[in-house]
Each structure stands twice: as structure tokens, then as C-alpha cells.
């Protein structure tokens, strides 16, 4: 009989343990986000391997490293303005504590841009901050030749005339240059290896008939460009079928 009583208590105790382990765990506080953008004033384009890192940090202690609350790494960064979204746990946000956003752009682990102004922020409020970063890379470091932007491209197709045409493009979509006779400007949609040049306006200089004809052909050919390739300091424009239609060398 004593053995049977002991057996009853042993097997009767097991369901109590199992029942205790089955209680649900309450979820933590909902995740929050901060979204904004990063930009800079310099009129240069980022290379294709640029990386943007944006962090939300606790900067309350002046004599200690900032504590990172949330971070987003955008690789590749693309072109400015660059949108970011940082996720963080609101449970770690403390009252009477100072928080700030910090951003940096690197290329091959070399720092190119960083914010030199503190962007303090209240993470508990809805806001869309815009962070301005400043260039810190050596100005003598050349922009990679794989970049179509902010360079003067000299046409090899018109060089034999003694009056070569030029072409330049900016990150805001502006294109401009000089034909064999007249200067021109216009707009273009430029993507990752794609380009579509709209109507261009020109000055009204008159040159020799053969030069004017060469200029007419140059402008008509520009309008046919659908893609481009930059390699070893040369820019090649191609039509919708992938045929080379204009070639340029990088000028000074």
C-alpha cells in the first residue's frame, strides 16, 4: 500500500509541472521606426560600391562612446537623396536621455562623407529628418572612371573636324555641352547604365554648312541614346539595339 500511495503522488505531480510550462509568454513592445533621408551639397555622384550607414545612438554621456539603439546599412547606397529607415525597440528609450542620428558614406571602407553637425532627435515622436553629410575624402582622390557624372566628355566621332563636341551630365538630370558649333543644354533620365536624353536647346551661332550638318547629326544621335558604358576613361553611348553610336574620351 505505501508503494501505491507514493506512485499516486509521483504521477499526480507531473501534470502540474507541464501545466506551469504551458503558460504563454507576453510579447514585447511593438517595434518602431524612424525614416528620413541623407544628402550632401557637393555636385558629384557616388560610385556604385558606396555604402551608407545611418545609426540612432544614445549620446547622453560625453565621456563615453555612443550606445547604438538602431542602425541601417544601405549597400549599395545609390545616389542622393538616399532614403533610410531605422528600426528600434521603444522599450530601450529612457526619459531625460539625449538621442541623435549619425550618418556616414564609405567607399571600399574609406570614409567619403560624414555628418559634422549633431542631429538630436526624440525617437518617440513622428519625424522625417534630413541629414546633411560633408565630404571628408581627399579632394585629390579621383572620381572613379566608371562614373558618367560630373566629367567633361569629348566626342571622338567629331574630333576629325577640328571642332570636337562635348557632353556632360549631372546627378539632377541636367545635360549640357558644346556641339561642333553651338552650346547646348537639356535634361535626361539616367539610371544604372540607361539614359534617355530629351530635347536640347542651343545657342544660335552660324558656322560653315558642313559644320552645321555635322552638328545636326550629333544632336540627332544624342536623342537615340538608350544606354551607356563607362570604361577606362571612355564613355560609349548605345542605341536601343545596343549598337555604339557615340564615343567620348574623358577631358580635363
Amino acid at each position: 500500500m505505501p508503494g501505491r500511495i507514493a506512485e499516486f503522488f509521483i504521477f499526480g505531480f507531473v501534470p502540474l509541472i507541464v501545466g506551469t510550462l504551458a503558460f504563454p509568454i507576453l510579447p514585447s513592445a511593438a517595434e518602431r521606426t524612424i525614416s528620413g533621408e541623407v544628402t550632401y551639397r557637393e555636385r558629384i555622384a557616388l560610385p556604385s560600391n558606396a555604402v551608407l550607414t545611418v545609426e540612432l545612438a544614445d549620446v547622453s554621456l560625453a565621456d563615453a562612446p555612443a550606445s547604438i539603439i538602431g542602425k541601417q546599412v544601405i549597400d549599395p547606397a545609390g545616389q542622393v537623396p538616399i532614403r533610410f529607415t531605422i528600426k528600434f525597440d521603444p522599450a530601450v528609450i529612457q526619459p531625460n536621455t539625449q538621442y541623435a542620428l549619425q550618418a556616414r558614406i564609405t567607399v571600399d571602407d574609406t570614409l567619403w562623407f560624414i555628418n559634422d553637425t549633431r542631429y538630436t532627435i526624440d525617437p518617440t515622436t513622428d519625424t522625417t529628418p534630413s541629414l546633411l553629410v560633408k565630404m571628408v575624402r581627399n579632394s585629390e582622390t579621383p572620381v572613379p572612371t566608371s562614373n558618367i557624372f560630373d566629367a567633361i566628355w569629348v566626342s571622338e566621332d567629331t574630333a576629325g573636324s577640328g571642332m570636337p563636341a562635348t557632353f556632360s551630365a549631372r546627378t539632377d538630370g541636367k545635360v549640357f555641352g558644346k556641339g561642333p558649333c553651338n552650346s547646348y543644354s537639356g535634361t535626361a533620365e539616367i539610371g544604372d547604365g540607361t539614359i534617355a536624353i530629351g530635347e536640347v536647346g542651343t545657342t544660335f551661332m552660324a558656322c560653315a554648312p558642313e559644320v552645321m550638318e555635322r552638328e545636326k547629326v550629333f544632336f540627332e544621335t544624342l536623342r537615340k541614346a538608350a544606354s551607356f558604358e563607362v570604361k577606362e576613361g571612355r564613355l560609349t553611348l548605345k542605341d536601343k539595339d545596343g549598337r555604339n553610336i557615340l564615343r567620348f574620351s574623358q577631358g580635363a
Side-chain angles (χ1 to χ4, degrees):
M1 176 66 70
R4 294 184 62 185
I5 294 174
E7 182 180 357
F8 171 78
F9 279 106
I10 291 172
F11 285 100
F13 188 65
V14 172
L16 295 178
I17 297 175
V18 173
T20 302
L21 295 177
F23 282 119
I25 299 174
L26 295 176
S28 59
E31 190 177 61
R32 288 181 62 92
T33 62
I34 294 176
S35 297
E37 65 178 27
V38 173
T39 189
Y40 51 76
R41 291 197 178 100
E42 288 80 3
R43 286 173 52 184
I44 69 168
L46 293 173
S48 59
N49 57 336
V51 178
L52 169 66
T53 302
V54 188
E55 298 170 330
L56 171 63
D58 177 350
V59 294
S60 301
L61 301 178
D63 57 348
S67 175
I68 306 303
I69 306 302
K71 177 171 73 171
Q72 185 184 22
V73 178
I74 302 176
D75 182 6
Q79 302 299 330
V80 295
I82 307 167
R83 298 287 302 173
F84 68 86
T85 298
I86 296 177
K87 299 177 181 180
F88 66 96
D89 181 0
V92 304
I93 304 301
Q94 302 296 322
N96 303 317
T97 303
Q98 192 173 44
Y99 298 93
L101 289 171
Q102 48 198 32
R104 62 184 181 274
I105 298 174
T106 58
V107 178
D108 292 333
D109 296 323
T110 299
L111 183 64
W112 276 38
F113 292 88
I114 194 169
N115 59 289
D116 61 351
T117 301
R118 174 172 287 187
Y119 288 88
T120 56
I121 190 172
D122 182 353
T124 64
T125 62
D126 293 330
T127 181
T128 53
S130 179
L131 278 66
L132 183 69
V133 291
K134 183 178 180 181
M135 176 178 281
V136 294
R137 75 180 181 95
N138 189 333
S139 60
E140 296 179 357
T141 304
V143 175
T145 55
S146 60
N147 194 335
I148 190 176
F149 299 105
D150 296 301
I152 299 175
W153 300 101
V154 181
S155 174
E156 298 176 357
D157 304 87
T158 59
S161 67
M163 303 179 70
T166 64
F167 175 82
S168 294
R170 297 195 327 221
T171 56
D172 60 3
K174 301 292 185 182
V175 294
F176 55 95
K178 195 174 188 309
C181 183
N182 288 278
S183 298
Y184 68 93
S185 63
T187 58
E189 294 182 6
I190 303 175
D192 185 11
T194 64
I195 185 170
I197 301 173
E199 293 286 349
V200 296
T202 71
T203 54
F204 297 95
M205 292 178 58
C207 297
E210 63 270 21
V211 175
M212 299 301 292
E213 180 61 29
R214 191 176 293 111
E215 181 168 87
K216 177 184 176 183
V217 172
F218 174 73
F219 289 143
E220 289 176 346
T221 307
L222 275 180
R223 294 290 310 280
K224 295 177 182 178
S227 64
F228 68 89
E229 180 184 49
V230 179
K231 186 176 182 181
E232 297 178 353
R234 283 183 168 81
L235 166 66
T236 303
L237 298 183
K238 304 181 180 185
D239 65 12
K240 60 183 179 61
D241 297 317
R243 293 186 295 254
N244 297 343
I245 55 175
L246 281 174
R247 295 164 299 179
F248 300 84
S249 296
Q250 188 168 4

